[in-house]
Amino acid sequence: MKSLLKIFRWATLRIERGAKENNQAVYKPCSNGIIAKELTSLEDEIKEIRRSGSGKSLDVPEFELSDIFYFCRKGMETIMDDEVTKRFSAEELETWNLLSRTNCNFQHISMRLTVLWGLGVLIRYGFLLPLRIALAITGISLLVMGTTVVGYLPSGRFKEFLSRHVHLMCYRICVRALTAIITYHNSENRPKNGGICVANHTSPIDVIVLASDGYYAMVGQIHGGLMGVIQRAMVKSCPHVWFERSEVKDRHLVAKRLTDHAQDQSKLPILIFPEGTCINNTSVMMFKKGSFEIGATVYPVAIKYDPRFGDAFWNSSKYGMVNYLLRMMTSWAIVCSVWYLPPMNREEGEDAVHFANRVKSAIARQGGLVDLLWDGGLKREKVKEVFKEEQQKLYSKMITGSHEDRSRS
């Protein structure tokens, strides 16, 4: 890994030097955003606009023409620096990792760079890819056969012991099929039976990254094809929670089945990704509150990938599962860190939404991720009208004032 990092740095320096010789501009990703934003309220910002413009204040509630400048500026900022849409595209890199060109103008900048890139292609496709495919087939085959055999054993401690070790063995083989280098921190906080493990979601491989170090009950929708065969084999040896497509839409049914599972202290911790979609390893988006209404102990986990060796983010709107796995298996490696955070419980008087936000903030701080309030469903849907109505209500309340203000006027 250290040798690869040295090669990446040398390649980047060579590209920058070549660009300078050819009078070309080198693209530098802006990691901190292009607009400096301050966390201030709508009322405070409009007060400042009025004070700098007409000199009026909000003591007497009334509409001012200058107020529209606040909404114009916010609209332009959102268009120029959309903090939601850019979370669903590949994370930008400071250096070239020999997997893709930094800029199409650099294709013929150096013969040594071209030879180095070709050597990397030969190693990744000619040596690493066949080996990884063989490991993946081995791991999946052993998982199906092993869980099927264990499923025929009578329930008891021996069956649970075998199931645990079959799952761990197969998941660890699948992890090695991606040449995943994982560092686990604070293992004393690893999720325990009767709890819920929640983590930020970047990729489908988040499941095997966590399951290769622990034993979890999975939650998900029943699939067909190869995935369906794997699910049916797994549930024979372990109490996973699979839902039919029609059941997923029934929120109360899902909550009841999860509650029944979590209340049984003999059952495995449930593994859930509350974001509901994959985010590009830079931030954490809104957690769905369903997992936090159950009342069970929540074990937060933060996952952070190192994009220099391979991009783990799955852009499902751009790549299918087969294409995505091929890209993963032809990268250098999948390097990530996993932090087990101390368990958290819902406080007295705290609703599920605030509890979910508290857990999300803890995960974001530990993983060095941006904490966003937006729903990951915006990846495929439009902004809900309720968000617009909230801003309209805030401004309406500000310019109309309270009942006493209106009676005085």
Side-chain angles (χ1 to χ4, degrees), residues 299-312:
Y299 294 87
V301 176
I303 307 174
K304 177 66 175 178
Y305 292 90
D306 189 338
R308 293 176 296 180
F309 302 97
D311 185 15

Side-chain angles (χ1 to χ4, degrees), residues 73-124:
R73 190 187 70 190
K74 284 294 183 181
M76 292 300 295
E77 285 182 356
T78 303
I79 293 172
M80 294 293 295
D81 192 14
D82 182 1
E83 63 180 6
V84 176
T85 304
K86 63 185 178 183
R87 309 299 173 183
F88 303 117
S89 57
E91 184 178 1
E92 297 175 341
L93 297 178
E94 295 284 350
T95 59
W96 182 35
N97 57 7
L98 303 183
L99 294 179
S100 58
R101 295 288 180 182
T102 305
N103 188 303
C104 61
N105 296 324
F106 298 148
Q107 291 182 2
H108 307 291
I109 204 166
S110 169
M111 180 58 67
R112 282 187 294 175
L113 273 181
T114 303
V115 171
L116 190 62
W117 175 78
L119 183 61
V121 171
L122 183 63
I123 293 174
R124 290 186 289 111

Side-chain angles (χ1 to χ4, degrees), residues 259-378:
T259 302
D260 293 343
H261 183 104
Q263 288 177 348
D264 189 344
Q265 296 297 320
S266 64
K267 290 189 176 180
L268 300 175
I270 303 173
L271 177 58
I272 296 177
F273 301 101
E275 289 170 295
T277 189
C278 295
I279 314 298
N280 72 347
N281 194 44
T282 63
S283 60
V284 184
M285 302 190 79
M286 187 183 79
F287 280 4
K288 304 292 191 299
K289 67 177 182 178
S291 310
F292 303 89
E293 293 176 325
I294 298 175
T297 300
V298 171
Y299 294 87
V301 176
I303 307 174
K304 177 66 175 178
Y305 292 90
D306 189 338
R308 293 176 296 180
F309 302 97
D311 185 15
F313 169 60
W314 181 33
N315 188 348
S316 57
S317 60
K318 187 176 181 180
Y319 301 109
M321 178 59 74
V322 175
N323 195 345
Y324 167 73
L325 290 176
L326 180 62
R327 290 171 61 88
M328 296 276 285
M329 288 187 173
T330 55
S331 63
W332 293 109
I334 300 299
V335 182
C336 73
S337 296
V338 176
W339 290 272
Y340 296 109
L341 279 66
M344 302 175 69
N345 289 283
R346 191 168 165 181
E347 298 176 351
E348 185 176 354
E350 186 179 37
D351 61 16
V353 174
H354 287 86
F355 183 31
N357 288 335
R358 185 158 59 91
V359 173
K360 176 168 67 75
S361 297
I363 291 175
R365 283 195 304 271
Q366 182 62 74
L369 304 165
V370 180
D371 187 0
L372 297 176
L373 296 175
W374 295 102
D375 185 358
L378 292 174

Side-chain angles (χ1 to χ4, degrees), residues 59-291:
D59 296 336
V60 180
E62 61 181 7
F63 170 75
E64 278 288 320
L65 189 61
S66 60
D67 294 352
I68 65 173
F69 289 112
Y70 167 80
F71 298 102
C72 290
R73 190 187 70 190
K74 284 294 183 181
M76 292 300 295
E77 285 182 356
T78 303
I79 293 172
M80 294 293 295
D81 192 14
D82 182 1
E83 63 180 6
V84 176
T85 304
K86 63 185 178 183
R87 309 299 173 183
F88 303 117
S89 57
E91 184 178 1
E92 297 175 341
L93 297 178
E94 295 284 350
T95 59
W96 182 35
N97 57 7
L98 303 183
L99 294 179
S100 58
R101 295 288 180 182
T102 305
N103 188 303
C104 61
N105 296 324
F106 298 148
Q107 291 182 2
H108 307 291
I109 204 166
S110 169
M111 180 58 67
R112 282 187 294 175
L113 273 181
T114 303
V115 171
L116 190 62
W117 175 78
L119 183 61
V121 171
L122 183 63
I123 293 174
R124 290 186 289 111
Y125 282 87
F127 175 71
L128 294 179
L129 180 59
L131 181 62
R132 290 168 175 171
I133 291 176
L135 284 172
I137 293 174
T138 302
I140 294 173
S141 301
L142 286 175
L143 179 64
V144 173
M145 292 187 294
T147 52
T148 300
V149 171
V150 172
Y152 288 109
L153 298 176
S155 299
R157 297 183 63 181
F158 181 65
K159 179 179 180 179
E160 182 181 348
F161 173 83
L162 280 182
S163 177
R164 174 187 295 270
H165 284 80
V166 166
H167 277 83
L168 287 175
M169 176 187 69
C170 296
Y171 282 129
R172 287 172 180 173
I173 293 175
C174 292
V175 160
R176 280 150 181 76
L178 299 170
T179 316
I181 301 172
I182 310 169
T183 305
Y184 298 96
H185 305 272
N186 307 323
S187 296
E188 66 276 8
N189 296 325
R190 192 183 289 117
K192 296 178 175 59
N193 287 5
I196 298 176
C197 175
V198 299
N200 58 300
H201 199 24
T202 303
S203 162
I205 69 167
D206 293 339
V207 174
I208 63 173
V209 166
L210 294 177
S212 62
D213 187 53
Y215 192 33
Y216 299 94
M218 308 297 177
V219 178
Q221 181 176 293
I222 294 177
H223 294 273
L226 176 60
M227 184 61 69
V229 172
I230 297 173
Q231 287 181 323
R232 289 191 293 271
M234 289 172 61
V235 80
K236 291 178 182 178
S237 64
C238 180
H240 299 291
V241 185
W242 305 129
F243 295 97
E244 295 286 352
R245 187 177 295 273
S246 58
E247 294 176 335
V248 174
K249 298 179 181 179
D250 191 339
R251 180 169 165 267
H252 298 288
L253 175 62
V254 173
K256 184 179 184 306
R257 288 188 60 184
L258 293 180
T259 302
D260 293 343
H261 183 104
Q263 288 177 348
D264 189 344
Q265 296 297 320
S266 64
K267 290 189 176 180
L268 300 175
I270 303 173
L271 177 58
I272 296 177
F273 301 101
E275 289 170 295
T277 189
C278 295
I279 314 298
N280 72 347
N281 194 44
T282 63
S283 60
V284 184
M285 302 190 79
M286 187 183 79
F287 280 4
K288 304 292 191 299
K289 67 177 182 178
S291 310

